[in-house]
Amino acid sequence: MSFLVIGECVADIVRAPAGSGAADRVHPGGSPANVAYGLARLGRDVTLLTQLADDPSGRLIADHLKGAGVRMALGGTPARTPSAAVGLDDRGRATYTFDIAWTLESGEAAAAAPAHVHIGSIAAVTAPGADAVLAETERLRGRATVSYDPNVRPGLMGEHEAAVARVERCVALGDLVKASDEDLAWLYPGEDPHAVAARWLALGPAVVLVTRGADGSLAVTRRHTVAVEAPPVTVVDTVGAGDSFMSAVLDTLAGQGRAALGALSAEELTGLLARAGTAAAVTVSRAGAQPPDRTELDAARAEFALRSGRAS
């Protein structure tokens, strides 16, 4: 099964704590790029339609992605590779300050006939490149399933009402949508995530997933609502956790058509959330967006299952 991911690459510059004497760390990043990388690490055939400059950060990111097996399709070359200054609090949670422009051009040659298209983050809502993202998704949607992750970055979303409208347009294109509880809190302040998920289902998706950090995750379909706890883990930083979750979701559901997604059983949804939550747990246990490969993921699943058995 082939995947096409459309979206930005970003150089994540993780700031060293003040007074620590440590140097800043630069990691390849960008939510869609992380998803593509995670899929490739899990052995999937994936192409990333993106933009990269011919500069040190661009070469770092390209080498990182190609090293995992991601094929690159460039829709234009920006003056510089986008970057994000990443600050970490005392619990390893990340905040971002972006320097990014997104001017994606048409990418019809990116993948001849992908079975699945993934979009999201900055690239799906930031003009002028967002128009190309949506046009390409609409062009392919007749023969490919679609997933979407808003990955809200408030400083880049613009006026709130217009941002919500853009996000909901993308939700309506998706067969599977994932959002964090923080995304939903910004988009719909004070609303219950269950209610938002139900409303998004009415726009068209078959499955809506909500990640809740250390509190686990939630899956909502027209038939079932399932919640799963997060595996216990020592957090180094949260960079790329949601993207690793998304990659594992797509890997688990590979080959499922629209009808099959809507017919997932409660047991299947529970297994989906548990496997994706494990991938996220592995990622937060090490620095930067470093998702597990299939061997690491299987080993972590077995370890967490063993711990759970001992705890009970």
Side-chain angles (χ1 to χ4, degrees):
M1 177 177 177
S2 61
F3 291 85
L4 173 64
V5 179
I6 310 175
E8 74 276 3
C9 293
V10 178
D12 288 335
I13 306 168
V14 182
R15 301 301 188 193
S20 68
D24 294 345
R25 294 176 283 123
V26 180
H27 297 287
S31 177
N34 291 342
V35 171
Y37 182 77
L39 282 167
R41 291 269 291 163
L42 291 170
R44 293 296 176 178
D45 178 1
V46 56
T47 298
L48 175 65
L49 173 57
T50 190
Q51 293 185 307
L52 279 176
D54 184 15
D55 58 18
S57 291
R59 291 188 288 273
L60 171 72
I61 293 171
D63 289 346
H64 169 76
L65 292 167
K66 291 177 182 177
V70 178
R71 285 190 297 275
M72 307 290 291
L74 298 183
T77 304
R80 62 185 181 278
T81 296
S83 64
V86 184
L88 301 175
D89 66 13
D90 57 4
R91 295 173 61 186
R93 294 176 300 189
T95 57
Y96 300 84
T97 303
F98 290 94
D99 177 10
I100 185 168
W102 180 244
T103 58
L104 187 75
E105 300 167 3
S106 176
E108 292 189 3
H116 185 87
V117 178
H118 176 74
I119 62 172
S121 195
I122 298 163
V125 296
T126 301
D131 291 341
V133 174
L134 296 183
E136 187 71 350
T137 305
E138 289 168 346
R139 182 182 74 84
L140 294 167
R141 191 173 186 273
R143 55 184 184 272
T145 48
V146 176
S147 56
Y148 170 60
D149 177 3
N151 193 43
V152 169
R153 299 302 183 222
L156 299 175
M157 297 298 287
E159 192 272 327
H160 185 266
E161 184 176 351
V164 172
R166 290 194 299 271
V167 167
E168 290 182 350
R169 181 183 174 189
C170 295
V171 169
L173 285 173
D175 299 294
L176 183 148
V177 176
K178 179 196 81 74
S180 70
D181 51 1
E182 292 179 345
D183 293 336
L184 299 185
W186 187 88
L187 291 164
Y188 310 103
E191 292 197 40
D192 180 74
H194 292 76
V196 174
R199 191 162 70 248
W200 277 8
L201 284 176
L203 295 177
V207 183
V208 175
L209 307 177
V210 180
T211 57
R212 302 182 292 183
D215 293 325
S217 56
L218 175 75
V220 182
T221 70
R222 290 170 181 80
R223 298 183 179 191
H224 304 288
T225 297
V226 172
V228 170
E229 295 182 355
V233 67
T234 300
V235 176
V236 174
D237 68 48
T238 62
V239 177
D243 305 323
S244 183
F245 184 99
M246 188 81 245
S247 297
V249 165
L250 297 181
D251 176 66
T252 304
L253 296 177
Q256 300 272 22
R258 291 187 176 93
L261 289 173
L264 290 170
S265 68
E267 182 179 7
E268 288 171 325
L269 291 167
T270 299
L272 173 70
L273 295 180
R275 186 169 186 264
T278 300
V282 172
T283 302
V284 303
S285 72
R286 49 201 190 192
Q290 294 293 331
D293 62 20
R294 193 171 297 278
T295 299
E296 290 176 313
L297 181 53
D298 289 346
R301 286 275 283 143
E303 179 184 349
F304 287 140
L306 181 61
R307 287 187 196 175
S308 177
R310 286 174 176 169
S312 62

